Amino acid sequence: MSVVLVVLLGIVGLTACGGGSTDQPGGVDISSGARHVNLVAYATPKPGFDVVIPAFRSTPEGHDIGFSQSYGPSGDQSRKVARRVPADVVNFSVEPDITRLVTEGIVDADWQAQAPNNSTPFGSVVVLVVRKGNPKDIHGWDDLLKPGVQVVTPNPGSSGSAKWNLLAPYAVKSDGGHDNQAGLDYIAELIRDHVSVIPKSGREATTAFEQGQGDVLISYENEAIMLERANADATAEDQVEYIVPRQTFKIENPVAVVNTSTQPAAARAFVEFLFTDRAQRLWAEEGFRPVVPSVVASTAALFPGRIDTLWTIDELGAILGRGTAAQNDGTDLTGWPAVDNALFGSDGAITEIYDSRGRR
């Protein structure tokens, strides 16, 4: 029998984008300074920025730069900036949320070349969070379709994390897009029979799971690490553990400087800091996977779990974009444009699955 889908109307606390913010991550005032940077980001990396921003402000480059912050669902945040909400630096869950700003003329077309690693300072992988002791015996993607298993994952219409969450099993079941129907059949069954809560963002999904909803949370590894660390102060019934599937998906979370910034030099200095060894170690300590090779090696022990196959957007896009040249000025789509077009756009296959609640 189908499960009735319930939309979780949680609210993520947002700090104002405008000047004069008194946000104090870690108890340290970050708003004061001769210059000011407005950071607009998706909800999940707030714990990382809470330590990275004060570290930046302790450097010669950042000592006189104050910050305001706004966090929320990635797609919603991108649309806010497109409507000209004040922003200097944006950090979103998925590339298309920055592409929207390129289309609007707010971010330069060459934004990926303006910082290392295609302007992606950190990332994660898709994992499965379960109750302590793993009572439902969850070990991989097939186990999510067991009778009675209830899954929490956000809405891909508003959340970038939701897209990553669904791309992992889709890639596994479709063999990287080669068997598209098998991947879509899995997603349809998952949504129809097992997803009963659809929060707006990855952070709201975590909150729903913490409140006792669902048996499994599909999530970023960093969210899982945060939840597991909280076990020390949680009751036995609220404790969790997480599983890194042997096949999963690489999450890449890009950053860009907005070309309408009133403090472009300060904004670029902050983005440059995100790729320093110091900032990379801080990201790793907060559960986000660093991208600088030396720091990746030195922090490897922070990320347990064996991954045999780590699918990527580039691999999936190369397959899903085949045959799209006729609609794309003679060139096949690749990467996120191909994936979004095939799966998450207004006519995308996964969008249709959500719209029909998995009844295809």
Side-chain angles (χ1 to χ4, degrees):
M1 183 173 65
S2 298
V3 176
V4 177
L5 297 175
V6 180
V7 178
L8 177 70
L9 298 176
I11 299 176
V12 175
L14 302 180
T15 56
C17 269
S21 168
T22 57
D23 191 40
Q24 297 184 359
V28 178
D29 178 21
I30 63 165
S31 62
S32 60
R35 296 178 290 169
H36 201 86
V37 167
N38 294 299
L39 170 65
V40 180
Y42 69 108
T44 301
K46 186 178 186 301
F49 282 118
D50 282 353
V51 295
V52 169
I53 289 174
F56 172 64
R57 282 169 51 85
S58 72
T59 67
E61 295 79 12
H63 77 280
D64 67 339
I65 299 174
F67 282 80
S68 296
Q69 301 171 97
S70 171
Y71 297 99
S74 186
D76 289 353
Q77 293 291 84
S78 173
R79 284 183 281 271
K80 282 170 53 178
V81 177
R83 294 194 300 269
R84 302 306 195 269
V85 165
D88 298 291
V89 175
V90 294
N91 173 221
F92 297 139
S93 179
V94 293
E95 181 184 315
D97 287 337
I98 293 184
T99 303
R100 175 185 291 113
L101 303 185
V102 174
T103 301
E104 293 292 329
I106 300 171
V107 168
D108 295 339
D110 67 345
W111 65 273
Q112 288 179 305
Q114 294 179 8
N117 196 46
N118 290 322
S119 291
T120 301
F122 59 84
S124 194
V125 299
V126 181
V127 303
L128 306 173
V129 186
V130 299
R131 307 298 174 186
K132 189 71 173 179
N134 197 5
K136 295 288 185 174
D137 197 29
I138 305 296
H139 298 285
W141 299 108
D142 288 342
D143 296 325
L144 301 192
L145 303 187
K146 289 179 178 179
V149 172
Q150 294 299 297
V151 177
V152 178
T153 188
N155 185 342
S158 60
S159 169
S161 66
K163 293 183 178 182
W164 294 116
N165 290 355
L166 298 175
L167 285 176
Y170 170 82
V172 172
K173 294 302 175 181
S174 69
D175 187 26
H178 288 93
D179 189 348
N180 181 57
Q181 193 59 53
L184 295 178
D185 287 345
Y186 178 95
I187 299 299
E189 184 174 352
L190 178 71
I191 300 307
R192 182 182 65 243
D193 298 335
H194 300 276
V195 174
S196 57
V197 178
I198 310 178
K200 289 189 65 177
S201 72
R203 177 48 51 82
E204 289 185 14
T206 298
T207 300
F209 191 73
E210 287 180 300
Q211 293 173 344
Q213 301 186 62
D215 304 302
V216 184
L217 170 70
I218 309 178
S219 189
Y220 289 12
E221 181 184 40
N222 54 277
E223 288 286 283
I225 290 172
M226 178 190 72
L227 285 171
E228 191 172 64
R229 288 175 179 173
N231 282 347
D233 299 317
T235 63
E237 61 189 28
D238 291 332
Q239 293 182 357
V240 304
E241 58 189 81
Y242 70 95
I243 297 101
V244 181
R246 293 291 184 88
Q247 292 193 63
T248 189
F249 212 91
K250 182 181 181 181
I251 296 169
E252 301 169 276
N253 306 128
V255 65
V257 173
V258 174
N259 61 25
T260 55
S261 170
T262 59
Q263 294 289 345
R268 294 193 184 284
F270 178 59
V271 169
E272 289 173 5
F273 178 76
L274 300 181
F275 294 89
T276 64
D277 285 1
R278 183 181 181 190
Q280 289 283 294
R281 281 192 295 271
L282 290 173
W283 284 115
E285 290 166 3
E286 294 301 315
F288 298 84
R289 295 204 173 208
V291 299
V292 172
S294 60
V295 182
V296 171
S298 65
T299 60
L302 297 177
F303 304 98
R306 171 183 164 186
I307 300 176
D308 295 330
T309 304
L310 187 62
W311 296 102
T312 69
I313 279 293
D314 285 345
E315 291 171 332
L316 198 57
I319 301 303
L320 295 181
R322 288 178 179 174
T324 59
Q327 294 80 40
N328 188 48
D329 298 326
T331 303
D332 279 349
L333 295 172
T334 59
W336 262 113
V339 172
D340 244 13
N341 179 68
L343 302 179
F344 297 114
S346 58
D347 297 322
I350 290 180
T351 298
E352 291 180 0
I353 288 171
Y354 263 80
D355 289 345
S356 67
R357 300 297 188 258
R359 297 177 181 87
R360 303 176 61 234

